[in-house]
């Protein structure tokens, strides 16, 4: 691994996944900022990065027994030690094209750089020992459809890689195509980013039927467009509020 230089005198990072504690973490950052401005603390922070890029599918910090939950437990225990301001773990976005992508740890102490360095390295060492636990077996779309048809309960088929919050287009129709091919005739599909088809639906209005090719408008190599007959059941206008309940006014 390597020690990373940081220009900030103190960093307080959102480190829960899903990120629902932004408000409380922001309050913590504000408190630390006041202490720093008033001279009550003199932060010394060190960021450390191992040669480790983790898959985004197994990063939940509240998954009991999961690898990131274990790693965060170590960080929270570190924050209880005298002289430690905070301890941060960032899983990193595996799909980034930046040269320093990947997991990083960052520990800030009150003027004790040696302690910050040692604890940041301890977090990295712990992450390294857990690295194999981050790998989870995945199911192909075809096998997932087969299992869904055989199940006697509601099944969710999730394309983790096609996550708009993680930088994807949100228009990969692979699971949708597998559902149709596998014989699923009832079920819901989460929104597919397809402005062309949405515009045609709005222009035609409720009740209109038309042929369309759904999804795959940005990168065909991730999934071919799916030919379907669309029937417009309902249209909506306006914006969608995606903020968590904690962050809504």
């Amino acid at each position: 691994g390597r020690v990373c230089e940081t220009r900030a005198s103190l960093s307080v990072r959102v480190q829960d996944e899903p990120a629902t504690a932004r408000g409380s973490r922001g309050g913590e950052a504000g408190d630390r900022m006041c202490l720093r401005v008033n001279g009550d603390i003199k932060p010394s922070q060190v960021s450390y990065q191992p040669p480790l890029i983790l898959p985004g599918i197994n990063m939940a910090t509240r998954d009991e027994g999961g690898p990131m939950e274990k790693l965060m437990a170590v960080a929270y225990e570190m924050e209880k030690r005298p002289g430690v301001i905070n301890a941060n773990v960032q899983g990193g976005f595996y799909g980034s094209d930046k040269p320093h992508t990947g997991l990083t740890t960052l520990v800030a102490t009150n003027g004790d750089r040696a302690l910050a360095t040692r604890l940041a390295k301890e977090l990295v060492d712990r992450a390294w020992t857990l690295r194999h636990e981050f790998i989870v077996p995945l199911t192909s779309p075809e096998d997932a459809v087969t299992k869904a048809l055989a199940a006697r309960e509601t099944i969710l088929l999730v394309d983790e890689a096609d996550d708009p919050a993680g930088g994807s287009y949100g228009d990969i129709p692979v699971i949708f195509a597998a559902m149709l091919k596998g014989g699923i005739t009832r079920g819901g599909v989460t929104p597919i980013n397809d402005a062309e088809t949405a515009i045609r639906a709005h222009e035609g209005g409720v009740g209109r039927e038309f042929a369309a090719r759904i999804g795959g408008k940005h990168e065909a190599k991730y999934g071919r467009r799916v030919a379907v007959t669309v029937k417009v059941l309902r249209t909506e206008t306006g914006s969608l509020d995606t903020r968590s309940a904690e962050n809504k006014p």
Side-chain angles (χ1 to χ4, degrees):
R2 65 187 183 88
V3 176
C4 306
E5 294 299 326
T6 174
R7 296 181 180 179
S9 60
L10 179 62
S11 298
V12 179
R13 303 178 179 180
V14 175
Q15 52 191 19
D16 62 323
E17 173 61 35
T20 58
R22 294 174 181 174
S24 59
R25 196 64 170 166
E28 181 182 337
D31 292 340
R32 299 292 190 273
M33 185 184 300
C34 290
L35 293 173
R36 174 70 178 89
V37 171
N38 293 333
D40 296 323
I41 59 174
K42 296 180 179 180
S44 178
Q45 66 178 15
V46 173
S47 181
Y48 207 95
Q49 183 177 43
L52 188 61
I53 297 179
L54 302 175
I57 198 171
N58 196 19
M59 290 283 196
T61 57
R62 289 183 296 278
D63 180 12
E64 185 174 350
M68 189 56 79
E69 190 271 343
K70 295 177 183 177
L71 192 56
M72 291 308 308
V74 176
Y76 292 140
E77 285 300 313
M78 286 182 175
E79 291 183 338
K80 298 177 182 179
R81 301 186 188 185
V84 176
I85 298 174
N86 60 35
N88 301 272
V89 177
Q90 297 294 290
F93 177 44
Y94 65 94
S96 172
D97 59 358
K98 301 300 182 182
H100 303 313
T101 190
L103 180 136
T104 59
T105 64
L106 189 149
V107 175
T109 62
N110 190 10
D112 191 339
R113 184 172 180 82
L115 176 61
T117 301
R118 179 168 60 83
L119 295 182
K121 180 62 167 57
E122 283 183 17
L123 279 174
V124 161
D125 291 342
R126 180 60 172 154
W128 187 258
T129 62
L130 293 170
R131 66 190 185 280
H132 295 300
E133 294 187 26
F134 283 94
I135 307 300
V136 295
L138 301 180
T139 305
S140 71
E142 294 75 19
D143 288 344
V145 167
T146 299
K147 292 180 179 180
L149 288 171
R152 296 181 177 274
E153 57 185 346
T154 300
I155 300 295
L156 300 180
L157 307 182
V158 180
D159 188 345
E160 167 67 20
D162 193 29
D163 179 5
S168 182
Y169 297 117
D171 78 333
I172 299 176
V174 172
I175 290 181
F176 180 42
M179 291 170 63
L180 295 178
K181 185 178 180 179
I184 293 181
T185 57
R186 298 180 61 187
V189 178
T190 56
I192 295 177
N193 178 17
D194 190 332
E196 176 186 312
T197 303
I199 290 172
R200 291 180 63 191
H202 275 274
E203 290 177 345
V206 175
R208 184 193 173 190
E209 294 188 16
F210 60 93
R213 297 176 66 83
I214 302 293
K217 298 299 196 307
H218 292 87
E219 293 282 353
K221 63 182 178 181
Y222 297 128
R224 296 179 180 275
R225 301 177 185 182
V226 180
V228 295
T229 298
V230 174
K231 182 176 182 180
V232 183
L233 301 179
R234 179 176 174 179
T235 61
E236 293 285 348
T237 59
S239 59
L240 179 65
D241 189 346
T242 60
R243 292 173 295 176
S244 66
E246 178 186 16
N247 295 319
K248 289 183 179 179

